[in-house]
Every structure is written in C-alpha cells, then in structure tokens.
Amino acid sequence: MTDTFPRLDFDASDPQVQALLKPVVERLGYYGDFFQVVGHLPDALVAFMDYTGTVKSPLTMRQNEVLALSTCTAAGGDYERIQHERLALKSGLDKDWIAELTGHASPKPSTLSEEDAALRDLAVAVVSRDGRAVGTEIDIVNLLLGPEKTVAVILQITRFQMISTLNKMFAMTLPVASIFDQAEG
C-alpha cells in the first residue's frame, strides 16, 4: 500500500480525461484519488470509463448499487463503497436498504427484494471465494435476470473488485465521509 504515489490534479490531467470527467467532477464536487492515480495512463482511464458505461447499461441503477455496495463492502473497498453509499442515497434509495448491504444494520424484516438478495449473495460469494464455487449463485441470478444481465452483473462485480483493490493499494481517501459517519440532522 502506498499513499505517496503522485496524484494528478484535474488541471494537470490529459485534456481528453478532463473533458470526459468534467461532468463527474461537477456531480461529485471533487476530483477523486481514483482518477488522480489512474489518470497517469489517460487512454486506459478513458477506455475504463467506456467499459464502465457498457457494463452498467443493461442493469438498473438499483442493481448497480446492490453490486457496488455489496462487492466493495466484501472486498474492503471503503473508498468506492462510500461513494456509492452517497450515490445510492442521492438516487432515492433508502438508508436502511444501504445499511443492510454495507453491514451497518440488519433490519428485521429485510429491506432487500429477492433480486437484491441474489445479487448481494453472488457479489459476496465471488469476493469471499475468489470466484470459485459460485455456480449456484450465478444460476439463481440467471434465472431472475437472464444471460445478458447475468454477464453484466459478473463484469460489474469484478470491476468493483478491481477498483477496491486499487483503492487499497494506493491508500485512496475521499474528502467526504460515509453516510453512516455523518451526524443525523
């Protein structure tokens, strides 16, 4: 893990990266460590963002957030988990639902739908079993969503695993707190 790896400020980033990420920076209110690190290889960052859009597109916002929150929690990717807690809340998803997916609460009864639970179970299984012996979980998701969305789900899980790994390798931090660390107001 290193927190000394150089970060690129937005203004020092490649012009193509700036153009691509300007709306993201405006939405977030900051230029995050992930972009500051990966921006050292601008063509890869642009391709990664294109890949992200392609993989997300068959899935609903809710499905994507289940995968992001579950995978990042299981993989210990706090940086990305916190960003998705905030995004999920801003998108209108319930804080108790987010809490259940991130281990901050286990409401009784569960706030997760059958589909939410199947996606969470697959994400956690992939991370905890290193992708092995997850056939049952894949079969359940496939029955619920079909092959195209199941492939998108699997690619999203592995994408979030990679982001979580990079978050830890480069000791990435956010200028914002978890929604569960903020004072209720």
Side-chain angles (χ1 to χ4, degrees):
M1 175 175 82
T2 181
D3 58 1
T4 59
F5 190 84
R7 270 51 171 173
L8 288 173
D9 291 335
F10 183 77
D11 293 337
S13 297
D14 183 271
Q16 184 181 9
V17 169
Q18 288 180 19
L20 176 69
L21 295 179
K22 184 176 181 185
V24 175
V25 172
E26 289 173 352
R27 176 178 51 85
L28 293 174
Y30 58 88
Y31 188 57
D33 275 7
F34 180 82
F35 299 132
Q36 293 178 36
V37 169
V38 181
H40 284 285
L41 193 56
D43 289 344
L45 180 53
V46 170
F48 179 78
M49 295 302 290
D50 183 53
Y51 174 77
T52 297
T54 300
V55 171
K56 282 176 64 172
S57 66
L59 304 173
T60 66
M61 179 274 300
R62 183 182 180 106
Q63 291 166 336
N64 275 295
E65 291 311 310
V66 170
L67 298 171
L69 294 166
S70 300
T71 304
C72 294
T73 298
D78 295 341
Y79 177 98
E80 190 74 0
R81 175 190 48 81
I82 290 168
Q83 291 202 106
H84 280 277
E85 288 174 0
R86 300 171 73 79
L87 178 59
L89 195 60
K90 187 175 183 177
S91 298
L93 295 170
D94 187 71
K95 190 172 181 178
D96 288 340
W97 181 85
I98 298 166
E100 188 170 353
L101 289 168
T102 58
H104 286 91
S106 187
K108 303 291 184 218
S110 175
T111 59
L112 302 182
S113 69
E114 178 185 13
E115 181 181 289
D116 294 341
L119 293 172
R120 179 209 50 209
D121 293 349
L122 177 56
V124 171
V126 168
V127 173
S128 66
R129 298 181 210 147
D130 197 29
R132 294 177 182 88
V134 295
T136 299
E137 291 84 357
I138 290 172
D139 289 345
I140 292 168
V141 169
N142 190 44
L143 283 172
L144 291 169
L145 301 181
E148 178 190 12
K149 286 189 175 195
T150 300
V151 170
V153 163
I154 292 166
L155 293 175
Q156 272 293 67
I157 291 168
T158 57
R159 189 180 77 81
F160 285 121
Q161 263 188 301
M162 181 195 70
I163 293 169
S164 294
T165 299
L166 291 170
N167 294 166
K168 293 180 286 188
M169 289 172 62
F170 290 101
M172 294 179 183
T173 59
L174 288 169
V176 294
S178 167
I179 64 172
F180 301 103
D181 294 337
Q182 299 173 340
E184 301 277 338

